[in-house]
Amino acid sequence: AGQQTRALSWPAGEPLADFVDAFRQRSFLIAQRELTADGWRLETPAVLRLMEKLRRAGRPLGEYVNGRLYRGIITGLNQAMVVDGATRKWLIAEHPSSTTVLKPFLRGRDVKRWQVQFADQYLIKIESSENRRHPWSGKPAAEAERIFTATYPAIHQHLQAFRADLIQRDDQGHYFWELRSCAFWDEFALQKIILPAIAPTVAYAADSTGYVTNDKSSIVVTNSVHYLLGSLNSNLLWWYIRQTAASRQGGFYEFKPMYVSQLPIIEGKDQTQIEQFVKAILAAKAENPAADVRALEAEIDQRVYALYGLTAEEIRIVEGETR
């Protein structure tokens, strides 16, 4: 049957004086083959079996969306490249050309469960000349800046206050007023799901507005926003990510692409009911961001359990750790 050892997962902060009693009551046998070179998972056999069952049931999210899972934008100097609503109005009043480069911007903290809470932040979106041809692209620095100043005079005036820091920053395009090269700019304009990089609970949000997001978040571009959002925000996949993602102090988890891309997603089954519940939640949240949608969430949880074929005992494992 192979070698086994006795193990215990010890929660941070639990009093060490309780260790002997806790080990006696809560420790379990784990097969030595589970202790692999790429990291030990000290989980009960039942948890490991459930993880394996879920992995077999679905395709990794990264495959499901054909790799369209991206980290948000790094500006290299947010205080220069991100402005508030009042500054946006001033920049447009100074010169109407500013309108074309000021795009609604989300930070990781603006991403809540089901929907975003826009905080009136705007990105000065001037793509690298590597990604887009500008009137100044390919010109020597001094000439390029003269053309940039003539094209976006108010934006140039605003950036002058940060000139030295902009020039010194690592993340920039061909010129100091440009953002670093990004191959997926167009993806932000599409229907997508946004997730914060670090959060204390599951918090995926739908977006059809075309928000650009910062690097404390990621986006998933998909034509199945409602079904996928329901699955990702379900109790089951929240439990799954808690088993796999790195945890931080204070009960926070890292929802980085390396973890989220591995979430098992089922496709090809009847998804209509989950989509209907998600649409009802989004409608309620649009009317009142504080709307109580727990009953609808519970309906989604039950549909997702059924979708993945969970037994009553497996549901108890999940709910014992997430409630």
Side-chain angles (χ1 to χ4, degrees):
Q3 295 292 312
Q4 290 188 315
T5 188
R6 189 159 285 280
L8 169 69
S9 290
W10 186 259
E14 196 165 318
L16 282 173
D18 300 340
F19 181 80
V20 174
D21 286 340
F23 191 82
R24 191 179 297 125
Q25 294 168 20
R26 303 202 316 258
S27 64
F28 51 86
L29 289 170
I30 187 169
Q32 189 172 347
R33 67 175 179 275
E34 301 288 357
L35 306 178
T36 57
D38 60 353
W40 292 8
R41 293 198 43 75
L42 299 183
E43 303 291 357
T44 65
V47 166
L48 293 170
R49 281 197 302 272
L50 179 52
M51 295 284 289
E52 184 55 32
K53 175 177 177 171
L54 297 177
R55 275 193 290 267
R56 286 199 307 268
R59 289 172 67 200
L61 174 65
E63 285 183 25
Y64 182 85
V65 298
N66 298 315
R68 297 173 83 179
L69 201 170
Y70 310 101
R71 188 81 173 268
I73 297 301
I74 297 171
T75 71
L77 195 66
N78 283 350
Q79 59 264 46
M81 305 305 287
V82 180
V83 301
D84 60 17
T87 305
R88 173 183 176 271
K89 285 179 183 170
W90 176 82
L91 287 167
I92 292 170
E94 284 291 300
H95 201 275
S97 65
S98 305
T99 310
T100 60
V101 295
L102 289 163
K103 304 299 178 184
F105 190 64
L106 293 176
R107 304 158 302 178
R109 74 190 85 158
D110 303 327
V111 184
K112 310 299 181 185
R113 193 173 185 190
W114 303 111
Q115 64 174 14
V116 300
Q117 289 183 1
F118 181 51
D120 210 24
Q121 301 288 302
Y122 298 86
L123 174 69
I124 299 175
K125 181 178 171 251
I126 303 175
E127 301 99 315
S128 169
S129 289
E130 192 171 319
N131 305 126
R132 183 181 168 194
R133 185 82 186 162
H134 300 288
W136 58 81
S137 297
K139 301 286 195 296
E143 184 185 349
E145 189 166 355
R146 279 196 298 275
I147 297 169
F148 168 58
T149 305
T151 310
Y152 300 111
I155 299 290
H156 178 264
Q157 184 184 343
H158 164 76
L159 294 180
Q160 279 296 91
F162 307 95
R163 184 186 182 92
D165 288 336
L166 284 168
I167 288 170
Q168 287 174 14
R169 81 196 201 278
D170 292 328
D171 295 298
Q172 60 178 284
H174 289 190
Y175 305 94
F176 73 81
W177 56 88
E178 294 181 345
L179 295 166
R180 63 181 276 176
S181 179
C182 171
F184 49 88
W185 276 117
D186 293 344
E187 300 282 66
F188 286 102
L190 304 177
Q191 285 225 332
K192 60 185 181 288
I193 293 169
I194 307 174
L195 46 145
I198 301 171
T201 187
V202 64
Y204 303 86
D207 174 40
S208 55
T209 305
Y211 288 115
V212 179
T213 68
N214 77 352
D215 61 318
K216 299 296 187 291
S217 62
S218 302
I219 64 169
V220 176
V221 181
T222 175
N223 293 325
S224 309
V225 165
H226 295 105
Y227 167 65
L228 195 53
L229 186 63
S231 298
L232 291 173
N233 271 335
S234 72
N235 210 30
L236 181 58
L237 292 192
W238 165 223
W239 175 83
Y240 188 97
I241 203 139
R242 287 178 70 182
Q243 311 308 309
T244 56
S247 58
R248 294 281 193 92
Q249 208 166 1
F252 283 74
Y253 289 84
E254 293 190 356
F255 289 80
K256 291 181 176 176
M258 63 184 287
Y259 301 121
V260 176
S261 65
Q262 298 305 310
L263 284 168
I265 305 297
I266 287 183
E267 57 185 335
K269 300 275 185 89
D270 181 18
Q271 304 168 0
T272 312
Q273 285 186 312
I274 291 172
E275 289 173 346
Q276 295 308 319
F277 286 124
V278 170
K279 287 175 183 175
I281 287 172
L282 295 181
K285 289 287 188 182
E287 195 170 315
N288 173 17
D292 185 346
V293 295
R294 284 176 295 182
L296 291 165
E297 290 172 345
E299 293 283 1
I300 290 171
D301 287 338
Q302 295 308 313
R303 300 305 187 285
V304 172
Y305 291 147
L307 198 59
Y308 287 80
L310 263 63
T311 65
E313 177 55 36
E314 287 167 338
I315 292 172
R316 275 195 291 274
I317 291 172
V318 171
E319 298 201 338
E321 290 197 34
T322 55
R323 293 290 184 223

